[in-house]
Amino acid sequence: MYVRKLLLLSLTAVLALPAFAQFRKPEDAVKYRQSVMYTMGTHFYSRVGGMANGRVPFDAKAAAENVEIVATLSRLPWAAFPADSNGVGKTDAKPAVWTEQAKFKDLADKMQAEVVKLQAAAKTGDFEALKVAYRATSSSCKACHDAFTNQ
């Protein structure tokens, strides 16, 4: 258990380093945020969502572990939207990310708040609580993607 937590903290530190440092090239920021979003989506939609939507048998321990990863990753992509990355490379981000920063930040904050609630629900081991929190978190993700991506 402690080894797993240590590994998760180490992974968090390693993943967060590029976000705290200035990206050398705008392409690096795009690649970083896409990687974080992809990994977060895999754990959230495929693994936790698979359970919440009945596609995968519910496993309280696996749900809690995957939600912990989502919680960690949910704090990382926001620094990877520097102004010089607007329109760089193949990206689904709309220009509104950079022109409507307050709304973008608000939706990101709301998503992170829902992830905290999801974390609390996952820790209970209660499947119904997990489903409710999953749906609320998914809705907060969708709100941001509807406003700020071409997905």
Side-chain angles (χ1 to χ4, degrees):
M1 180 85 169
Y2 292 108
V3 172
R4 186 172 289 150
K5 284 184 180 180
L6 181 61
L7 287 173
L8 184 58
L9 287 172
S10 298
L11 175 64
T12 301
V14 168
L15 287 174
L17 283 176
F20 291 110
Q22 184 177 12
F23 292 99
R24 293 197 302 154
K25 298 182 293 188
E27 295 84 1
D28 294 342
V30 173
K31 189 183 312 179
Y32 176 83
R33 70 182 183 237
Q34 288 174 341
S35 297
V36 171
M37 293 288 196
Y38 175 82
T39 304
M40 185 169 40
T42 297
H43 288 274
F44 181 70
Y45 289 109
S46 298
R47 296 182 182 167
V48 179
M51 288 182 237
N53 293 317
R55 293 187 313 267
V56 177
F58 177 64
D59 177 333
K61 183 176 184 261
E65 288 171 351
N66 280 284
V67 170
E68 286 300 318
I69 293 167
V70 170
T72 298
L73 295 175
S74 73
R75 295 185 294 272
L76 300 180
W78 317 115
F81 287 91
D84 65 351
S85 69
N86 182 2
V88 172
K90 186 177 181 215
T91 179
D92 289 321
K94 292 179 181 176
V97 167
W98 294 273
T99 60
E100 298 177 36
Q101 282 285 298
K103 180 178 178 182
F104 184 63
K105 182 180 181 338
D106 181 55
L107 290 174
D109 290 346
K110 286 178 180 175
M111 183 272 293
Q112 288 176 292
E114 291 300 331
V115 169
V116 169
K117 294 175 191 174
L118 178 63
Q119 242 180 328
K123 287 178 183 176
T124 69
D126 180 340
F127 179 61
E128 292 303 316
L130 179 81
K131 283 193 325 186
V132 169
Y134 173 82
R135 288 192 179 99
T137 305
S138 182
S139 291
S140 71
C141 293
K142 184 179 181 330
C144 192
H145 280 254
D146 286 350
F148 294 107
T149 71
N150 293 312
Q151 289 182 311

